[in-house]
Amino acid sequence: MNSITVFGKRRVRAKWKEASRLADRILILLRESSAALEVYFLSSREITAINSRFFRRKRRVSGEKVDVLAFPHPHGFPNPSHTKGKTLGEIYINQDCVRRKKETLARLLIHGILHLLGHDHQGHKDALNMEALEEEVFKKAFP
């Protein structure tokens, strides 16, 4: 059984249960049945500050919002005592993007989970592969 813990401000609490349910469905589709992860809902300002601090890069397009960030659990770092199985890491979701329905919560979770499982989009080929996998998972999760 997967363990998904969701955190965020009170005004997005309605999304917490949905995020947990969706993340579990996505993990099962990706053949992860005993994984743990944490999902945080942050404001645009908060997630942009984290992006700037840890990635030290500007957005590719001026004004482009940071919609999701993922931080894998460090290799060799002990798992919290309340988790059994593999701890994947943390996903930070821009709550403003979810509220405006610019991106669906499911797509942001899929993107973040794929990063936690080792996928990236640094090169053109990697980006194409990751986009195809995102679309495949989305279609399976929401036929």
Side-chain angles (χ1 to χ4, degrees):
M1 179 174 195
N2 291 308
S3 171
I4 294 100
T5 308
V6 183
F7 302 93
K9 299 217 170 35
R10 221 179 275 235
R11 63 180 180 230
V12 292
R13 227 177 236 173
K15 296 284 183 195
W16 292 10
K17 195 177 276 190
E18 181 183 2
S20 180
R21 184 182 53 79
L22 289 171
D24 188 50
R25 182 188 299 177
I26 294 161
L27 287 167
I28 290 168
L29 281 169
L30 293 168
R31 293 180 170 66
E32 294 289 338
S33 59
S34 62
L37 67 90
E38 294 178 349
V39 178
Y40 295 84
F41 286 96
L42 302 176
S43 68
S44 289
R45 185 176 49 84
E46 292 168 321
I47 200 167
T48 299
I50 290 171
N51 185 65
S52 297
R53 179 175 177 198
F54 289 96
F55 295 106
R56 301 206 187 281
R57 63 175 183 211
K58 294 183 179 177
R59 302 305 295 165
R60 290 177 294 212
V61 178
S62 179
E64 182 182 39
K65 287 194 182 306
V66 178
D67 50 8
V68 63
L69 295 172
F71 294 92
H73 190 72
H75 183 69
F77 199 79
N79 283 348
S81 60
H82 67 278
T83 63
K84 294 177 180 144
K86 176 170 57 172
T87 301
L88 296 178
E90 301 170 349
I91 297 173
Y92 295 84
I93 293 178
N94 185 332
Q95 67 193 21
D96 301 326
C97 290
V98 173
R99 275 201 309 251
R100 293 184 196 136
K101 300 199 188 279
K102 176 182 174 190
E103 295 284 341
T104 66
L105 178 57
R107 288 191 183 274
L108 295 176
L109 285 167
I110 290 168
H111 189 87
I113 289 170
L114 289 176
H115 275 305
L116 295 181
L117 293 174
H119 299 274
D120 69 38
H121 43 78
Q122 295 299 322
H124 181 70
K125 186 176 180 181
D126 291 335
L128 292 175
N129 289 338
M130 189 164 169
E131 285 174 23
L133 185 54
E134 286 176 12
E135 195 58 34
E136 179 185 332
V137 171
F138 184 81
K139 285 180 180 177
K140 285 181 182 176
F142 309 97

